[in-house]
Amino acid sequence: MLNMDFSQRVVIRSDNEDWLPSPAGGVLRKPLAREEAERGHATSIVRYEPGASFKRHEHPLGEEILVLDGVFSDETGDYPAGTYLRNPPGSGHAPFSKEGCTLLVKLHQFDPRDLDTVRIDTHATPWLPGIGGLEVMLLHDFEHEHVALVKWPAHERFQPHRHFGGEEIFVLSGEFCDEHGRYPPGTWIRSPHMSAHHPFVEQETIIWVKTGHLPI
C-alpha cells in the first residue's frame, strides 16, 4: 500500500520520482497512491513509449485520465494532450500510443452509480468566470464530487477555505502556492476532509482539481 491513509496530507513532486516498469513493455509508471500492486485504488503518472500498448483490461470501478503530453489511443479514438477522459465502471479497453504519451491516471475510484463516459478536449472548451479572477473549466460533477481545471491569473490570492470531502490537485503549469509550500508543475497534492489552506500564485498557473471525493 502507498499513501492510502486519506486522513494525511500528501505532496509528491512527480518530476523527482523514478519511472517504474509496468506489466506491459514500454509502459512506465510513477505511483502516487496505490492499494495493491495491480488492482484496486491507484493514482499514477503513466508514460507510454512510442509504439507501446497495454493488453485489454476492465475497469470495475472506473478509470479517469488526463493526457499530459503526446497522443493516447484506444479502440474508441485518439486523444491528444489536454484530453480529459472518464471510462465508467464496467468498461474496458486496449490502450496504446503510436508516438508516446504521458498521463495522469486514476483507477478504481468511481461511485458505482457514476456511469457517464466523458471525452473533453480542454484546448477547445471555453473557460468560465470563477471567484475573483479565477477561470474555471468544469470537467465532471457527480453528487459531491467535482472535477475542473482552474486558471489562476498572476498575483491572485484566494480566500482561506476548508475542503469538505477533501481536495486533490495536480499542477499543470506555473506555480501553485499556499502557506504550506510552493508547488511547481508535476506536483500532486492530496488534502484530507476538512483540511484548510490559503492558496495564492505569483505567476499565471493552471491546476487540475478534484474536491468532495475523499473519505469523510
Side-chain angles (χ1 to χ4, degrees):
M1 295 178 69
L2 173 68
N3 294 326
M4 290 298 293
D5 182 352
F6 296 105
S7 70
Q8 299 298 309
R9 184 173 184 267
V10 181
V11 177
I12 297 177
R13 289 171 171 81
S14 67
D15 289 351
N16 296 335
E17 300 295 308
D18 294 330
W19 291 106
L20 303 177
S22 79
V27 181
L28 304 173
R29 298 185 294 208
K30 294 182 177 184
L32 305 176
R34 182 168 287 276
E35 186 175 2
E36 297 182 42
E38 297 302 331
R39 58 182 295 177
H41 179 115
T43 299
S44 308
I45 308 299
V46 178
R47 186 176 76 192
Y48 281 69
E49 295 179 343
S53 62
F54 213 99
K55 66 181 180 180
R56 181 173 175 84
H57 57 277
E58 311 302 315
H59 306 301
L61 276 180
E63 177 185 54
E64 182 177 16
I65 294 172
L66 181 64
V67 184
L68 302 175
D69 64 45
V71 179
F72 174 74
S73 303
D74 63 15
E75 55 269 51
T76 67
D78 300 319
Y79 304 106
T83 306
Y84 176 74
L85 309 169
R86 291 179 73 93
N87 297 314
S91 64
H93 65 166
F96 62 94
S97 181
K98 292 180 180 178
E99 67 178 56
C101 64
T102 307
L103 317 170
L104 172 66
V105 180
K106 297 177 65 63
L107 295 170
H108 208 79
Q109 299 176 41
F110 285 27
D111 186 297
R113 299 166 298 147
D114 184 359
L115 298 176
D116 288 347
T117 297
V118 177
R119 304 283 187 266
I120 296 175
D121 178 357
T122 64
H123 293 313
T125 302
W127 293 96
L128 301 175
I131 296 173
L134 300 183
E135 295 181 82
V136 177
M137 185 186 300
L138 178 64
L139 301 176
H140 187 68
D141 269 333
F142 183 81
E143 295 186 351
H144 51 280
E145 178 181 315
H146 307 283
V147 188
L149 297 185
V150 181
K151 183 189 294 185
W152 294 64
H155 309 298
E156 183 74 9
R157 182 173 290 269
F158 198 72
Q159 60 200 22
H161 61 282
R162 292 190 177 274
H163 307 124
F164 186 89
E167 180 185 59
E168 198 169 339
I169 287 172
F170 188 79
V171 183
L172 296 171
S173 65
E175 184 182 56
F176 185 72
C177 309
D178 63 13
E179 67 271 37
H180 307 298
R182 307 174 75 92
Y183 315 105
T187 304
W188 178 69
I189 308 161
R190 193 184 69 201
S191 300
H193 171 59
M194 296 310 292
S195 58
H197 71 160
H198 189 185
F200 63 94
V201 301
E202 294 175 353
Q203 58 184 288
E204 183 179 272
T205 298
I206 298 176
I207 61 173
W208 172 93
V209 59
K210 177 184 284 196
T211 59
H213 61 299
L214 298 177
I216 295 174

